[in-house]
Amino acid sequence: EVQLVESGGGLVQPGRSLKLSCAASGFTFSNYYMAWVRQAPKKGLEWVATISTSGSRTYYPDSVKGRFTISRDNAKSSLYLQMNSLKSEDTATYYCARQLIRGFDYWGQGVMVTVSS
Amino acid sequence: DIQMTQSPASLSASLGETVSIECLASEGISNDLAWYQQKSGKSPQLLIYAASRLQDGVPSRFSGSGSGTRYSLKISGMQPEDEADYFCQQSYKYPPTFGSGTKLEIK
């Protein structure tokens, strides 16, 4: 059974940093692109980052480029999101997701990040 | 970026009723369109990919259609468990973008 379990969320002040983790199991992690998708409270879904199977290629939207870094450790079947210079508009539930060409086929339960002073 | 305009924003349906949700892309996306269901307090689940292909385990009352810039999700016979938010998403071009969502409730 595919499982994605996020951790590392919490309350952080504007301008500070936070690192999210996602532990994957039930599939060969190194064979798949992985992504982070976020959802602000009562809002829609926003793609945040994608990483290739080896980690050599990463993709970001303009809203987080230069502030967020996605990475992975295939030996540990783990995905990470380093978030720097956080802003109030980064407040959201962050989902780890397995990404196929056809879409995001498995999602974690999500972890809440609140950016507030 | 490709904009995905989803409609309606909300609708209510009676049990057994057939409902449709639409997504309009700002440019052609060559059927690279997925639909997700998100129940209250849960993470999204992939329902349909490539515009019309049903993800494994999804009931056959769900179907997708469309081409070019216009796509739709149909639920043939509303069930209580179908009460949820629904989102479309294009994977034709980076960045992947989502529609704003449709809240489906039971009447």
Side-chain angles (χ1 to χ4, degrees):
Chain A
E1 179 194 4
V2 172
Q3 282 200 317
L4 299 169
V5 180
E6 303 94 338
S7 60
L11 173 64
V12 61
Q13 293 179 327
R16 303 298 289 264
S17 300
L18 199 64
K19 186 172 185 177
L20 305 182
S21 300
C22 171
S25 61
F27 65 103
T28 304
F29 181 74
S30 58
N31 286 352
Y32 292 86
Y33 275 51
M34 297 296 296
W36 291 95
V37 178
R38 70 184 178 185
Q39 186 172 34
K42 306 291 187 186
K43 298 291 186 183
L45 299 165
E46 180 187 17
W47 166 74
V48 171
T50 291
I51 189 166
S52 63
T53 53
S54 66
S56 61
R57 285 168 291 178
T58 57
Y59 309 84
Y60 307 93
D62 289 344
S63 58
V64 308
K65 196 176 295 182
R67 299 189 300 121
F68 289 12
T69 301
I70 189 173
S71 61
R72 66 191 297 160
D73 184 335
N74 286 340
K76 294 182 178 180
S77 295
S78 292
L79 179 72
Y80 306 100
L81 185 68
Q82 176 68 47
M83 304 184 292
N84 298 332
S85 303
L86 282 160
K87 307 175 182 180
S88 58
E89 52 262 43
D90 295 319
T91 294
T93 295
Y94 285 73
Y95 296 100
C96 163
R98 192 172 81 170
Q99 185 173 2
L100 306 178
I101 291 174
R102 65 191 191 214
F104 304 96
D105 67 338
Y106 285 96
W107 300 62
Q109 85 286 354
V111 63
M112 185 68 200
V113 172
T114 303
V115 183
S116 175
S117 54
Chain B
D1 298 2
I2 296 176
Q3 307 302 314
M4 303 300 295
T5 303
Q6 190 173 337
S7 62
S10 64
L11 77 160
S12 59
S14 303
L15 293 178
E17 187 177 342
T18 294
V19 300
S20 286
I21 299 168
E22 301 210 337
C23 247
L24 177 66
S26 58
E27 63 183 82
I29 57 172
S30 195
N31 288 7
D32 289 333
L33 190 284
W35 289 97
Y36 300 87
Q37 177 192 64
Q38 185 178 31
K39 295 184 180 179
S40 181
K42 302 292 188 182
S43 54
Q45 287 195 307
L46 178 64
L47 292 177
I48 286 171
Y49 63 95
S52 62
R53 295 179 180 266
L54 216 59
Q55 178 73 350
D56 290 345
V58 175
S60 58
R61 64 180 178 274
F62 290 92
S63 63
S65 63
S67 63
T69 61
R70 290 185 174 275
Y71 298 87
S72 62
L73 170 70
K74 185 166 76 172
I75 307 173
S76 300
M78 176 81 178
Q79 298 299 305
E81 61 267 31
D82 299 337
E83 189 170 75
D85 293 330
Y86 293 84
F87 298 91
C88 61
Q89 177 244 325
Q90 66 81 19
S91 55
Y92 180 68
K93 192 184 290 186
Y94 268 83
T97 45
F98 293 86
S100 54
T102 295
K103 187 175 193 65
L104 175 60
E105 296 177 320
I106 295 175
K107 192 182 292 182

